[in-house]
Amino acid sequence: MIALDTNVLVRYLAQDDKVQSPLATSLIEQQLSAQNPGYVSAVVLAELHWVLTRAYSVERSRFADIARGLLSAQALRFDNVQAAWNALQAFEDGFDFVDALLTELGDDAGCSATVTFDRHLARHPKARLLVAA
């Protein structure tokens, strides 16, 4: 197993660099497999969301499709894949993907809630608004 940096996934998905994109494509499509997978950390997944939505203006629904495809790929392994799937569901329900991911990872770590000042995130069932007593 090898770990993949965000830029490798971006080059693969965007196909926007004449040198790096073919290298990323070859790695992902020809060298990685279920027996020799690429590892995608939660940090990389969060960065991927940020890069695709901010720098590449990928729409929410398109990012959801991309994430679903990556999470389903036999040749990729993820940090806590169930938390990623749960975050994707929350994202499709209107939450920010990275906020939902950190909330799901906190839940997986045994936290009772993710405490936040973000009123929108506080609507998530695993989050709680921090307010003055």
Side-chain angles (χ1 to χ4, degrees), residues 10-121:
V10 169
R11 292 287 85 76
Y12 174 69
L13 294 166
Q15 292 295 311
D16 62 348
D17 185 286
K18 66 182 180 178
V19 174
Q20 294 179 350
S21 292
L23 293 171
T25 299
S26 175
L27 172 68
I28 291 170
E29 293 183 1
Q30 297 172 12
Q31 298 174 43
L32 299 181
S33 66
Q35 296 75 31
N36 183 38
Y39 170 75
V40 180
S41 71
V43 172
V44 166
L45 196 54
E47 283 184 335
L48 183 65
H49 173 265
W50 191 92
V51 170
L52 292 181
T53 59
R54 302 283 194 238
Y56 288 82
S57 301
V58 169
E59 305 264 334
R60 287 181 68 89
S61 62
R62 179 69 182 124
F63 177 77
D65 290 342
I66 290 168
R68 195 174 298 104
L70 292 173
L71 290 168
S72 298
Q74 294 294 314
L76 298 176
R77 296 290 177 273
F78 291 83
D79 263 352
N80 195 324
V81 71
Q82 189 57 56
W85 278 112
N86 292 347
L88 178 57
Q89 180 60 58
F91 175 74
E92 291 181 312
D93 290 341
F95 290 97
D96 177 76
F97 181 74
V98 176
D99 285 347
L101 182 60
L102 71 89
T103 300
E104 292 297 336
L105 291 170
D107 182 65
D108 186 63
C111 300
S112 61
T114 294
V115 179
T116 183
F117 291 115
D118 181 335
R119 292 187 182 279
H120 181 70
L121 177 59

